[in-house]
Every structure is written in C-alpha cells, then in structure tokens.
Amino acid sequence: MSLTTRLHRRWKRNHCIGARGRKSASSENDMNIGVGYDSFLLGLIPATEYGDPSIKTFFHHVTPFIQTYHNKQQQPWIQLAGHQGNFKSGRQHGTILKKFCQREKEALEILMDDALKPYVPQYYGQFKDEEGNEFIELEDLLGHFSNPCVMDCKIGVRTYLEEELMKAKEKPKLRKDMYEKMCQIDPTAPLPEEHKLHGVTKPRYMVWRETISTTATLGFRIEGIRRSDGTSSKDFKTMKSENQVKDSFSSFMNGCSDIVKQYLERLNALKIALAQSQFFSTHEVIGSSLLFVHDSTKASVWMIDFAKTCPLPEGCPSISHDKAWDLGNHEDGYLIGLSNLIKFFEDMITDDE
C-alpha cells in the first residue's frame, strides 16, 4: 500500500476535511494533505512505519496539516499538524527551520550562554529563504531517538501575557465566536447575561479558558501525545482530574519504570538549572512547553516555544515563578507546574515499587 493511501486512510479516520493529495513520498513530487481538526501534538511519522530508515522523525506542537517536503539529501520529512509554512527541513543535518519570531530569537540567543542551554534546542541563527520568508534554525530534538514517543506539556498557570489581557480590556467587545467556543466545551459556563447577548468579552474568555484544564490548578496541561505506533491523542483541553493526568502519563510511558526514572532525573536537573539561570530570573515564561521524548531505551525533556517569553518590565521586582498570579505581578507559575510534574513522576515510581 502506498504512503499516500496509508496517510489518507489515517486522515479519514480522524474525520478531517479539505484533503488534497498527490503522489507518494517516494515519487518526485511532494505530497500535501490539508486537514481540518484542532491543533494537537505533531510529528514526523516514524521511519519504521514506512520501512525506510532514511525517513527522519520530528514532532512539534502547531496547528493542523500534513505536509511532506524534501531536505537536501532528498529524505522526505513528514510533519503531522501545523500552520503550513511554520516548519521546513534545516539547512544542515539534524536541524529544522521554524517560522521567525523576534521574541523567540532573542530568548534563544540569551539561552545559548545560560545555565539552561542543555535544556533547550541548540540555536543556529536566523535564515531567510528564496521567497523572503524568515526562519530560525534549531536542533532537531528527535535526531537521536528511534521511533520515539512524544508528549507536549504546556507549563505555567496562564498561557497569555499580561499585556494581551490589558489590551483586550482597553476596548472590550462581545465576541460571538468565543461565546460559541465556550458553549461547545461547557454550555453552563456563560453567565445568564452572556447567554442573553450571545457573546463574551475576550478577557473573560482568556481567563476562563485556563480554568477548564489543569493549567490553573496544577500549573501545566498536556497538549498532546504521540505514541510510537503513530497514534495521537489531543483531547486534553478539558482534563482536570489528577487521576486522568496520571493515567495519561502512565499510558504514554507504557509502564516502563526505567523511562519514568530517566524523565524524573531530567526534570530534577532542570529545576536545579532554573535556580541557577540568569535568564529565568529576569524573564516571564508564558506559553512555553516541556517536550518529553523517549524510545525503548532512553528519555529526555527540553524546554521549547519561547514566542511569548519576554524580559520583566522595567521597574518590576523579580518574580519567584511559584506564586499565585495576580494582574500586575507577572508571576507565570512555571515552577508550580514543574514541581507538580515532578511529584507525578515520583508517585509513579513509588507505585511501581
């Protein structure tokens, strides 16, 4: 069965819309299949699934589409989910190109000389392609794994900047689209007046959105999981139960205690590095994720996604990253999320003993 056929069948199983296909990845042409479901954890489809060891793997969290494209060695990259054009194969072996973001570039430049350098993708600089599109070149974090499992956890008690909330409050207006999203998730969430007007303001929606998952209570939420067999899960936005989180972690690691221990060791080392980091002490880390990656023998974790990470405003006292957020204190709750993650992994090890 051709690669195109197999991808198309998977796409149909996910009830996607808007597909368009060409030839298989082994042909001279690239293949592009558009899909229409919400964003979730993505990845380049494991090489073993296609019987071709030259196929590389790559996972990231962006909005949905499937696209293959060729790097200089003509090895097809297959990306599952993402804004089309956000990622391209890198200019050198073991790298990827990510759509340019000034804030992320500035953060990565500082991190290359910080105690957190071992815990973020290696940054290789800025690049502009022939069409004038700008990218940053990053290490492919999956380059040393075979048929990996990947999990994206969004860290912190909020995923929006204070300036975003303040801007939305300056000219509040009723948003029907956000009201409909709210009703789709929880019909009882809107207030009686909001039901009457069929609208909610953006600030109201932004704050409410963080309360429907574990973001507000645990300081992290699972964004998506992709397993080694190619199956993906993305239905975590409304997961609030600690037992559900624990079950999701256990399923992701498939009961392998050695993998759990490796993850725990890495998380504890990251916590020590954060305490030593000049970057962390002077920045508000919002919307960033921890990327968990393991195969049958090894596991690791990295900090990724710094598009909303920015220096603390002038005159703002240092933040602890482990206190409750109130508008104006710029606390992000990063250490709240990390400490809770560590506790979950410690509990899993205890349960296995």
Side-chain angles (χ1 to χ4, degrees):
M1 184 185 299
S2 72
L3 175 60
T4 304
T5 301
R6 294 162 66 186
L7 280 174
H8 183 66
R9 286 187 177 181
R10 177 177 300 171
W11 164 75
K12 287 178 71 177
R13 286 199 301 270
N14 282 290
H15 307 289
C16 303
I17 61 172
R20 60 188 185 282
R22 299 185 211 164
K23 297 181 180 180
S24 71
S26 60
S27 70
E28 294 182 356
N29 295 331
D30 290 342
M31 178 185 64
N32 186 13
I33 304 177
V35 299
Y37 48 96
D38 291 336
S39 66
F40 66 102
L41 187 69
L42 58 98
L44 291 182
I45 296 181
T48 54
E49 188 170 346
Y50 302 109
D52 182 356
S54 69
I55 297 180
K56 305 213 24 134
T57 56
F58 166 68
F59 291 69
H60 203 75
H61 176 97
V62 278
T63 346
F65 81 104
I66 302 174
Q67 182 184 21
T68 66
Y69 44 87
H70 295 283
N71 61 18
K72 293 180 180 179
Q73 289 74 38
Q74 294 300 302
Q75 294 171 325
W77 295 69
I78 305 171
Q79 180 183 332
L80 174 62
H83 280 303
Q84 189 163 356
N86 263 15
F87 289 91
K88 298 176 68 173
S89 55
R91 297 176 294 170
Q92 54 185 313
H93 179 73
T95 68
I96 58 167
L97 297 177
K98 183 179 181 182
K99 191 173 181 179
F100 177 79
C101 168
Q102 183 66 32
R103 273 184 174 155
E104 186 157 38
K105 168 184 173 290
E106 292 172 356
L108 288 164
E109 286 176 341
I110 299 172
L111 284 165
M112 290 302 98
D113 290 315
D114 189 80
L116 290 175
K117 182 179 179 180
Y119 302 92
V120 300
Q122 179 69 34
Y123 171 65
Y124 295 102
Q126 190 174 343
F127 169 72
K128 183 179 290 187
D129 65 16
E130 295 176 354
E131 298 176 353
N133 300 309
E134 291 187 276
F135 297 88
I136 54 175
E137 188 163 20
L138 302 172
E139 173 189 6
D140 171 15
L141 295 175
L142 302 197
H144 303 293
F145 292 86
S146 174
N147 201 26
C149 302
V150 181
M151 177 172 66
D152 181 320
C153 283
K154 190 73 70 178
I155 305 296
V157 295
R158 57 189 168 94
T159 58
Y160 52 85
L161 290 165
E162 288 198 358
E163 64 184 56
E164 291 180 283
L165 187 62
M166 294 301 293
K167 186 176 180 180
K169 283 186 174 181
E170 287 176 3
K171 295 181 180 180
K173 62 178 182 180
L174 293 177
R175 294 280 300 269
K176 183 180 178 181
D177 58 332
M178 292 181 176
Y179 167 79
E180 290 174 347
K181 287 181 180 179
M182 186 182 285
C183 289
Q184 186 176 10
I185 294 172
D186 182 2
T188 67
L191 301 172
E193 185 68 15
E194 291 168 337
H195 275 306
K196 182 179 178 180
L197 297 172
H198 293 280
V200 297
T201 64
K202 186 175 181 180
R204 157 91 163 109
Y205 179 80
M206 291 168 69
V207 174
W208 169 82
R209 184 180 57 187
E210 310 295 38
T211 67
I212 62 174
S213 69
T214 54
T215 290
T217 55
L218 296 177
F220 74 87
R221 70 170 180 251
I222 301 173
E223 286 285 285
I225 289 175
R226 186 170 177 86
R227 302 171 187 83
S228 60
D229 62 4
T231 59
S232 298
S233 300
K234 62 184 182 69
D235 299 323
F236 302 103
K237 288 183 179 179
T238 59
M239 188 171 69
K240 297 182 69 174
S241 161
E242 292 189 18
N243 286 333
Q244 289 176 312
V245 173
K246 190 174 182 179
D247 289 344
S248 296
F249 285 159
S250 297
S251 174
F252 170 62
M253 286 165 280
N254 200 26
C256 182
S257 60
D258 186 55
I259 295 299
V260 178
K261 290 176 182 177
Q262 289 186 55
Y263 276 138
L264 180 59
E265 182 178 346
R266 178 76 167 175
L267 290 172
N268 280 318
L270 171 60
K271 191 171 184 178
I272 293 172
L274 288 168
Q276 300 169 344
S277 169
Q278 177 66 20
F279 176 89
F280 193 60
S281 68
T282 57
H283 283 72
E284 182 180 359
V285 185
I286 301 296
S288 182
S289 289
L290 286 179
L291 190 70
F292 292 74
V293 188
H294 71 265
D295 56 21
S296 59
T297 60
K298 55 186 178 294
S300 195
V301 184
W302 289 271
M303 299 173 68
I304 61 168
D305 296 341
F306 300 100
K308 290 188 177 183
T309 294
C310 55
L312 293 173
E314 190 173 341
C316 176
S318 61
I319 61 176
S320 67
H321 301 279
D322 65 359
K323 293 180 180 177
W325 171 69
D326 289 311
L327 186 60
N329 71 4
H330 291 274
E331 290 288 353
D332 52 30
Y334 196 99
L335 289 179
I336 295 175
L338 179 59
S339 296
N340 280 322
L341 277 169
I342 288 172
K343 186 177 186 306
F344 272 102
F345 280 75
E346 288 175 339
D347 289 345
M348 283 189 284
I349 290 175
T350 301
D351 290 346
D352 287 339
E353 292 177 350

